[in-house]
Every structure is written in C-alpha cells, then in structure tokens.
Amino acid sequence: MRNGSGKFRAGLYGVVAAIGGAALLGACSTLPQKADIVVPPPASPPVPVAVGVVHPDLWPRGQSGVARDPAIEAEIARLLAQMTLEEKVGQTIQADIASVTPNDVRQYHLGAILNGGASGPNGNDRAPAPEWLKAADAFYKASLPATPERPRIPLIWGSDSVHGNSNIIGATLFPHNIGLGAARDPELMRWIGEITAIETRVVGADWTFAPTIAVVRDDRWGRTYEGYSEDPDIVRDYAGAIVEGIQGRPGDPDFLRNGHIIATAKHFLGDGGTDKGHDQGDNLASEEELRDIFSPGYQSAIAAGVQTVMASYSSWHGQKMHGNKALLSDVLVGRLGLDGFVVGDWNAHGQLSGCSNTSCAAAYNAGVDMVMAPDSWRGLYNNTLAQARSGEIPIARLDEAVSRILRVKLRAGVMDEGAPSARPYGGQWDQLGSPEHRAVARQAVRESLVLLKNDGGLLPLKPGLHVLVAGDGADDLGKQCGGWTISWQGTGNVRADFPHGQTIFEGIREQMRAAGGAATLSVDGSFREKPDAAIVVFGEDPYAEFAGDRETLAFEPGDAHDLHLLQSLHARGVPVVAVFLSGRPLYVTREINASDAFVAAWLPGSEGGGVADMLLRKPDGTVAYDFRGRLSYSWPRGPNQTPLNLPRASNPATAVAAYDPLFAFGYGLDYAHPRDLGPLPEAPDSELVAANVDTYLQAGHAVPPWSLSLIGADGAAASAERAPATTKGGALSVVRVDHKTQEDTLVATWSGSGRASLAIAGGAPIDLTRQSNGDMSLRLDLRIDKVPAGRAILAMERGAVDLTAALRAVSGAGWTSVAVRLSCFKAAGADMRAIAKPFALSSTAPLVVSIGSVRLAPGEGPPTCPAAPQS
C-alpha cells in the first residue's frame, strides 16, 4: 500500500516482470512444450552423499538485513544481568490465550502468548474486534513488573494472520498463497503484507506467524495452498517482498514500528517436501535438495530482516526439525544468518524422542529459543526451570535464547510503545476491511486467477445476458476463503461473519445488473427459462493442515455431483463456465471436458467481485481485465500423477522427458491470444478408486473403496449398496430417499426385533493415528426420524461408545450433525493404526435415522467422550 516514502501508492495495476520459471510462457497463451521448459542448473557446490548428515560449510553464507545496534546490545546485557532464572525461563515460553490468564502471565513472566486457530477472548474465537484489543491490553498490563526495580519486558502476541488478519470478523481476506504465486507480482506482496500488518495492529497483536514459505513438492499435502509454488525461485522472490511488507524495510524509520509488526518465516525446513505429502511427515530429500529447493525462501527472508523463524513439525530423514541442532543452529543461524529468534510450533517439541509436551530440554539445546506450549506451558515452565538449574539446559544456552527474544522485542519497540490500544492503528476500526484495503485484495484476486480453457472465446461474457450462477461455491464466502478463516479449519462460517465481503455470485449479479443483464442463483442448476450461459462455482470444502491430506489428487473420487451438474447444463445446450475453488491442482479433466471455459480460482478470499471482473465484459462490451495468472504448480493429467514438479536436475534431457503434466508450470491462457483446448484425455475410472481415509458415506452412498452392509444378530452381513435392503429377520432395513438431490439420503430403520448394525467396511485398513492425535472426530450428518427407544451404539472397530443421549438430544432438530472424537474410540479400545471398519451403528430397540454423510471432521464434538456401552 505504501511506497518507501510512506505514502499510499497509486496505479495498482502495473505490469510486473515474470519471475522464475514463469518466463517460459511470456505473453503467449499456448501450452508450453517440453522443448520450451527451462531447467535451472544444479546449484554448486555438490553435497557429499550422506543420508541425514548436515555439512554446514556447504550451505550459503547469508546475513540478516538488520544491523546490530550497540544501544540495543547494551540494553540486552543490562536486562539479562537483572533477570532472575524464573524470569528468563518465562521469556522462552509461549502460551495460548485459551489456556492462560493475565494473572498467569504475571506470575510466570511469560514472554509471549498466541491465539490458536480456535482460540479467542473469553473463549470466543468469533469475538468482535474490540474484545480482542481489550484482551491484548489486559495481557500487556499483566506482563509489566509489579515493582519498578524489576525489568520491564512486555510480552508479544502472535497470531496466524496468514491471508490477512484472518482471525477477525470484518478483516480483509486475501487469496491464499497458492493463488498469489500464480500472480507473479512481488510488489503486490508488499502491499498485502502492509495491509495485513495494519489490520493486525488494529486488534492489538504485534506478531504474525506468516509468511509460510514452503516449497510444495507433493500436492497431496493438506497445506499445499499455504505455499506460493513448487518452484523455489518464486518462493525466494516472494519471501523477501512480503517480509518487507509486514515488517517494513530494515533501516527505514518505521521498520517494525507504526503500521508494521513482527513476521515469521515458516516452517524450517522442508515441510513442503514430506514423503507422500503427509503433514508433519518425513522429508527424504538429499542435503543438496534440502539446500537448493527448500532454503532459498529463508535466504531471502533473512536478507529482508525477518525477525522470527518457526521450526517445522516435519522430520528430515527421521530426525524431527525441533531437535535438529545442525539445521537450526549451525545452518539457520550459523550459515544463513538469522538474527532474530527461533520459535517452535504448537506442542511440536513433544514429538521429539525422550520429550513430552511439558518437558523438552532437547528442543532448547537444538536451537529453539521460544517454545510454543499452548496448553502445556505450566508444566513446561516448571520442568525447564528444573533443567536450567540442573545444567541439562546450560545457562549459556538459556541466556542466548533470552537475548535473541529481547533483541526482537527491543527492535519492535514493544518496550516503550505502551499498551496495544495506545499504539499506532490500535482501535482504528475503520481500517478493518477498509475500501482501500479491499481494493488491493480484489486486485490480488484478478491477478491470481488462471484461465485453463476458453473454447470458442466464450469468456468474457457479453453484457446484457441472462446468466445462471450455480454450484455450492457460488454464494458461500466460507468456501471461497478456505481454511485459516476465522476458525482454524475455515468451517462453521456463515454470511454474517463476512460483513465487508462479497460472494462470487454477488459480484457477478452486481456487474450483470450494471450492464443491463441479469444473474440468477440456482445452486443445483435448475431453471425455468433457459439462460444464455451458466457459471458453475464448485470445488474443495475448507480444511487446514493434516485434515487436508489426500491419498490421491482425484477431486471427486466417490461422488461426481459437480461433474453431473456441469454435464447436465451442457446437455441442455447451455454454454458452461466452470470456476474451480481449490487449495491445489487436482485431477478435474472430466470437469474441464464438461465445460466450455474453465478457471482455476484457487481460494480467492473475501472479494468475490474480483472473479466477476475477469469473467464479464464492461457495459460497453470491451474487455475489462485480461488474465495474467500463470500456474505456479504443475497440473496433473491423472489422479495418481504426484509428485509432479518442474524439472530441476543435472541431466535436463532426462528430467524434461519425465515431465508430462496436463498443464505445465507457467501455463495460462488470456484473451489477447485466444485458442481452443478441445477434448482432453481422461484417466480410467479405476484410477479414481483409492484409499479414502476421511469420507466413508457421502450423499447416502458409500465412498469407494468402502462399502455399506447390514449385520444381523447372527453376524451375517448383507450388502446395502443397492437399497432397499434388510437383514434376515427384518431387524434392520434401509432405503434411499431424496433430500437435496436424487437418493442422497440413507434411511435406516431398526424394528426392535433384535440387534442389528449398519456398518461401513471393506477397504484396506487405514492408519488414523495422526487424525486421532490431532483431535479429529467422526461426524454423522443426520436427522432423527424416530427417537431411540433403547441404546444406540456407535463403533469404530473395537472402540464403541453409547450414542443414545446424543441422538436423543438432536431429535426434532431436523438435519444436524453428531460428532464423536477419534480419541474416544481409541480410549474405548480401537487400534487407530489399522481401521478397517470406520463406522458401525447398532441398536436392539426401535430407531429411525436418516443419514447423509459419515466422515472425519476437525475438532468437532464435545471434549468429553460418551459413556462406554454397558454389557
């Protein structure tokens, strides 16, 4: 937003030169051919082959963009000499506001707090903005010394402002990073960083856990959308730019002051390259690949003066990053030149061998300076204090950690700026979602969209048309914003949570009316009068972190609802524009073939009007904006084509020969160079069936490879794949009925004549250990048609809980959901490492329940488990 002089910049639509591999397309709208692909040369020097061994001398030597200030260094020494051991230990611990009070901060001298994805003031993560600022003031005041002779070291508050201040209702929400990577616009990143910092300042926080500068190498990873690209060059160019936007430029008077806050480069190192894309998994790259692919973003961020780096949950060849001294201390600080502090991730220290959430000297000794112990902080404080006294954590190491934290606080001005409400922008509510900020977000949407197909030049649509807008993403701000939006997973949001936002349908309707046309919303695509064209908005539902991990890149492996919608419109002679909302490239070739035009819109955020800008002509019929987005990720031609990345190898010919995406890195069409794509080859249906770890029943049907069966009292199973079906003796029967679409609901009726179970099984055993540890739940979307007259038991393998009370509680509520945490099934005896029967509902008494879906969901259900069944 502001240029170097601090004045708001005009002319937001300048052309920025392509960076990295994007240059292979230039302004041309043709498909890149293998001969066109430029393979970056291998970095030098080569690294000796030694699995899991780090050679720091072979890593580049960098330097922080922030010079040491003798006055600050003297103040650090003065404070350190005054501090007690208890005060020093407290500075190294960060607690979550859901588990800590201002009095706790005062008693334990805590150096930082955070609000996790589900945390908010007074337990309300949807609290209005003034409540956040009020809480920030209370915690700040509690961190000040009770007596003037003690050192004055205020705490800092960290927050996941990852695509705008995305925790706060009413804030500006930008496209997620995957879309921004397609924009190829580092200057835009500076504006986004500045706006995010200002809107974070408004509510009293002074530290963001952003940017994520992961280089994503397997798109099955649930955090793919948090990465700008698979290409380290794009990540490198973006990292420094957005850090400067958030923090300001080192040397400028407002560096870390006024509208700027502390930034965090995360997650060090290699989080985007884990085996099979498993979140918190193991990166098996060579040291040379680790250096040349995953570290350039950190080199750029450090040169821009980033003040904190967050260690990754992930491992490198089996060693967890939170305990990897060679990489955290010898490389990150010793070679790359970080001059700030290293912060841990949410209880990640507890995953180290020999550690727990409440005790981990190994993380401190490896180089983690501030440990994130959201709900485990009290035990960690006591144990860390004891370890410092015993020498298990050397005092020199503790002093080093505290010095680094103090240095950042002194640079950021928290020692003398006063309470958050008295700081620049504190309480300036008109800054949240301001028209100027939203204009930049809308520009970011326009630049991020990638046109994959435009046969017959259907786009941009002419003014004066009657356009049908369909699909479940058309009028759903939560879906278009994705995860890390108000809530951790981005779920549970309603229209009222986005007072300044605009859905894609709202943006289309506004512009169509202004041009003399009309737009009609019909989610299911039905119409009475045939429209001139249809815009169908569909895609992934919101998720975050491991909840988004996938086994394949198939978009709809078990339910082709969106495909059928596209096909039905096309079959009725309606020209179809598909707008695909997703956090990664997915196999959607069938959907592309069923559309005349296809736009990858990623997760565009709160400004749906930016999508409309690109699809519609001006009222005078001229083109309003042309597409400039180019893929920053390679697009797969099949559901199992992963990992799939732009070649980087010492043998370019071999690398290019193996690189065969549907759409190459850098691909993107535009209006200036029209061309038809034509039919694309589709993968066989057999490739769409894969291990499905999170969805078992959808739209009343089992999702392959799972199958639905009825089990009678004698243990005999009967298939329920083709309802109606019944058990021998009639204790349980099922039929399918219509709810939203044809036969999308399974109605199960227990007659009370004997024990019977409705079960989902048949797939290969799946490992749900991470999901259980991550507090995920088994969720049933249902309606109780007849209250259970006796006990109803829900089981996952051998783990069973009594669901009777929960079903009775929602009787009469219409369609609703019931969720039980996976940890409850584990506590009841389920082996979460091998789940072959993820769902079984049984009863001996009369019960009628309509079920739409059975799936895993994050953090739902009461924290206490239902009672175990009584024998």
Side-chain angles (χ1 to χ4, degrees):
M1 283 290 293
R2 296 193 307 274
N3 61 19
S5 65
K7 297 180 180 178
F8 282 103
R9 173 184 175 130
L12 300 180
Y13 311 108
V15 178
V16 178
I19 60 174
L24 61 90
L25 272 182
C28 181
S29 60
T30 57
L31 281 160
Q33 303 299 312
K34 290 183 180 180
D36 300 325
I37 296 170
V38 178
V39 181
S44 58
V47 175
V49 178
V51 175
V53 177
V54 178
H55 303 82
D57 290 347
L58 298 179
W59 289 67
R61 185 175 292 281
Q63 183 175 343
S64 172
V66 186
R68 290 282 179 96
D69 183 335
I72 287 178
E73 298 307 305
E75 181 64 6
I76 292 170
R78 186 187 71 81
L79 291 170
L80 207 60
Q82 291 182 343
M83 295 172 71
T84 66
L85 187 62
E86 290 81 2
E87 289 168 338
K88 291 178 180 179
V89 169
Q91 282 296 307
T92 69
I93 294 175
Q94 183 175 37
D96 185 81
I97 61 171
S99 302
V100 70
T101 67
N103 283 336
D104 292 330
V105 167
R106 180 179 295 110
Q107 180 180 351
Y108 290 91
H109 321 288
L110 299 181
I113 56 173
L114 77 148
N115 58 282
S119 302
N122 304 311
N124 180 13
D125 65 343
R126 295 172 191 274
E131 292 299 311
W132 290 84
L133 184 59
K134 182 179 177 181
D137 275 353
F139 278 108
Y140 167 83
K141 291 174 183 176
S143 69
L144 301 179
T147 57
E149 61 268 16
R150 298 309 312 143
R152 187 179 188 278
I153 310 173
L155 57 66
I156 49 178
W157 183 327
S159 187
D160 285 291
S161 297
V162 294
H163 64 127
N165 190 2
S166 48
N167 300 277
I168 303 300
I169 291 175
T172 306
L173 300 177
F174 296 95
H176 270 294
N177 288 353
I178 189 170
L180 298 177
R184 306 295 206 277
D185 191 343
E187 186 62 23
L188 176 64
M189 300 305 299
R190 289 188 174 88
W191 303 331
I192 290 172
E194 289 194 19
I195 293 168
T196 299
I198 289 170
E199 296 200 15
T200 302
R201 278 268 193 178
V202 168
V203 297
D206 36 29
W207 179 15
T208 175
F209 302 133
T212 299
I213 53 175
V215 179
V216 181
R217 307 297 284 180
D218 192 321
D219 299 345
R220 291 174 292 184
W221 188 35
R223 307 190 76 158
T224 294
Y225 65 80
E226 296 186 56
Y228 299 115
S229 179
E230 69 190 38
D231 178 56
D233 295 336
I234 290 178
V235 176
R236 177 200 64 221
D237 289 353
Y238 269 29
I242 194 166
V243 166
E244 287 185 351
I246 294 169
Q247 295 190 160
R249 287 184 171 93
D252 284 358
D254 64 348
F255 176 67
L256 292 173
R257 307 294 179 102
N258 298 324
H260 296 294
I261 60 175
I262 301 165
T264 306
K266 67 181 187 182
H267 308 83
F268 189 86
L269 182 64
D271 54 339
T274 58
D275 186 38
K276 299 180 178 64
H278 287 173
D279 190 43
Q280 305 182 21
D282 194 14
N283 189 316
L284 303 178
S286 67
E287 185 183 3
E288 184 174 359
E289 292 168 328
L290 194 69
R291 178 193 69 190
D292 298 341
I293 293 175
F294 299 103
S295 79
Y298 292 93
Q299 297 171 43
S300 173
I302 289 168
V306 73
Q307 289 298 281
T308 69
V309 168
M310 184 178 289
S312 178
Y313 275 112
S314 59
S315 306
W316 183 55
H317 288 284
Q319 184 176 3
K320 284 288 182 181
M321 284 303 309
H322 275 66
N324 196 318
K325 184 177 183 295
L327 286 172
L328 290 180
S329 294
D330 300 341
V331 169
L332 177 59
V333 176
R335 293 293 294 188
L336 301 186
L338 173 69
D339 192 29
F341 68 82
V342 177
V343 64
D345 208 338
W346 185 283
N347 277 334
H349 57 280
Q351 297 183 1
L352 299 187
S353 178
C355 288
S356 68
N357 289 352
T358 57
S359 179
C360 195
Y364 283 101
N365 290 334
V368 177
D369 301 306
M370 181 179 285
V371 176
M372 188 183 291
D375 54 358
S376 54
W377 63 267
R378 195 187 310 267
L380 183 71
Y381 173 90
N382 291 328
N383 285 316
T384 303
L385 185 61
Q387 289 158 352
R389 285 171 174 159
S390 71
E392 186 177 358
I393 300 175
I395 294 298
R397 170 66 193 116
L398 180 63
D399 284 351
E400 178 182 60
V402 175
S403 296
R404 292 172 177 173
I405 294 165
L406 294 176
R407 185 173 294 112
V408 171
K409 289 185 175 185
L410 286 162
R411 286 171 174 167
V414 297
M415 303 294 205
D416 51 30
E417 275 194 328
S421 61
R423 299 173 188 171
Y425 295 101
Q428 293 188 18
W429 313 121
D430 60 342
Q431 293 290 329
L432 289 176
S434 72
E436 188 172 26
H437 293 177
R438 290 182 57 206
V440 176
R442 187 162 176 160
Q443 177 198 352
V445 175
R446 288 194 294 266
E447 293 192 17
S448 69
L449 304 188
V450 179
L451 182 61
L452 299 181
K453 179 180 181 180
N454 192 26
D455 282 9
L458 176 60
L459 293 177
L461 296 177
K462 298 176 182 178
L465 300 180
H466 171 213
V467 175
L468 182 77
V469 185
D472 63 2
D475 200 35
D476 188 338
L477 268 158
K479 185 157 184 164
Q480 77 185 45
C481 289
W484 294 110
T485 301
I486 303 177
S487 66
W488 172 38
Q489 294 291 322
T491 54
N493 295 322
V494 297
R495 181 65 182 85
D497 294 327
F498 305 90
H500 303 308
Q502 187 178 50
T503 68
I504 294 171
F505 165 68
E506 290 167 350
I508 293 170
R509 180 179 59 186
E510 179 181 71
Q511 294 192 38
M512 290 300 300
R513 286 177 176 176
T520 302
L521 178 66
S522 174
V523 172
D524 64 2
S526 60
F527 57 82
R528 292 181 179 178
E529 180 182 348
K530 183 180 176 182
D532 296 309
I535 299 173
V536 181
V537 187
F538 67 102
E540 292 188 289
D541 291 327
Y543 56 82
E545 299 193 43
F546 54 81
D549 284 1
R550 302 176 67 110
E551 293 299 312
T552 76
L553 297 180
F555 168 53
E556 292 182 317
D559 172 30
H561 171 74
D562 295 308
L563 174 61
H564 295 156
L565 173 57
L566 295 167
Q567 291 173 333
S568 67
L569 288 166
H570 209 269
R572 286 178 280 177
V574 179
V576 176
V577 178
V579 177
F580 186 51
L581 304 174
S582 73
R584 61 192 127 202
L586 289 170
Y587 173 70
V588 286
T589 304
R590 299 177 303 169
E591 288 80 1
I592 294 173
N593 282 338
S595 309
D596 298 286
F598 196 98
V599 176
W602 314 111
L603 300 170
S606 60
E607 304 312 308
V611 177
D613 289 343
M614 304 304 297
L615 304 182
L616 308 175
R617 291 180 181 270
K618 293 180 180 180
D620 64 4
T622 60
V623 175
Y625 300 96
D626 202 350
F627 282 86
R628 57 167 290 165
R630 300 292 182 259
L631 292 178
S632 60
Y633 288 78
S634 304
W635 199 284
R637 64 172 59 251
N640 299 304
Q641 193 184 22
T642 183
L644 175 65
N645 299 295
L646 182 71
R648 297 179 69 88
S650 57
N651 189 335
T654 302
V656 170
Y659 181 65
D660 189 28
L662 181 66
F663 301 119
F665 174 96
Y667 171 79
L669 302 177
D670 54 46
Y671 296 145
H673 304 84
R675 71 179 297 273
D676 285 356
L677 193 62
L680 297 171
E682 299 179 8
D685 290 345
S686 59
E687 290 191 26
L688 300 178
V689 179
N692 191 323
V693 301
D694 56 10
T695 304
Y696 314 118
L697 185 80
Q698 186 166 300
H701 293 72
V703 178
W706 305 105
S707 58
L708 190 67
S709 61
L710 309 180
I711 304 174
D714 59 358
S719 173
E721 289 296 295
R722 294 187 177 183
T726 186
T727 59
K728 184 178 181 181
L732 172 61
S733 61
V734 295
V735 296
R736 287 192 174 90
V737 299
D738 299 349
H739 174 43
K740 294 182 178 179
T741 59
Q742 184 175 2
E743 294 192 355
D744 64 346
T745 298
L746 188 76
V747 181
T749 301
W750 282 262
S751 66
S753 61
R755 176 176 294 280
S757 300
L758 175 67
I760 297 175
I766 54 176
D767 185 351
L768 296 181
T769 303
R770 289 183 306 133
Q771 290 84 346
S772 176
N773 293 340
D775 218 17
M776 295 191 74
S777 303
L778 182 69
R779 169 175 165 161
L780 285 61
D781 294 318
L782 49 72
R783 182 186 66 205
I784 302 302
D785 300 318
K786 185 173 183 178
V787 182
R791 288 187 300 151
I793 307 302
L794 178 64
M796 178 177 281
E797 288 291 352
R798 296 179 179 273
V801 298
D802 191 332
L803 203 64
T804 312
L807 296 183
R808 288 175 176 169
V810 299
S811 178
W815 279 96
T816 185
S817 62
V818 172
V820 176
R821 305 210 176 197
L822 298 186
S823 56
C824 297
F825 297 111
K826 180 180 179 181
D831 182 356
M832 306 310 292
R833 297 171 298 176
I835 300 294
K837 186 188 293 184
F839 166 85
L841 182 64
S842 63
S843 180
T844 57
L847 166 67
V848 181
V849 57
S850 296
I851 306 175
S853 66
V854 178
R855 57 191 173 89
L856 298 187
E860 297 186 10
T864 55
C865 294
Q870 301 298 312
S871 57

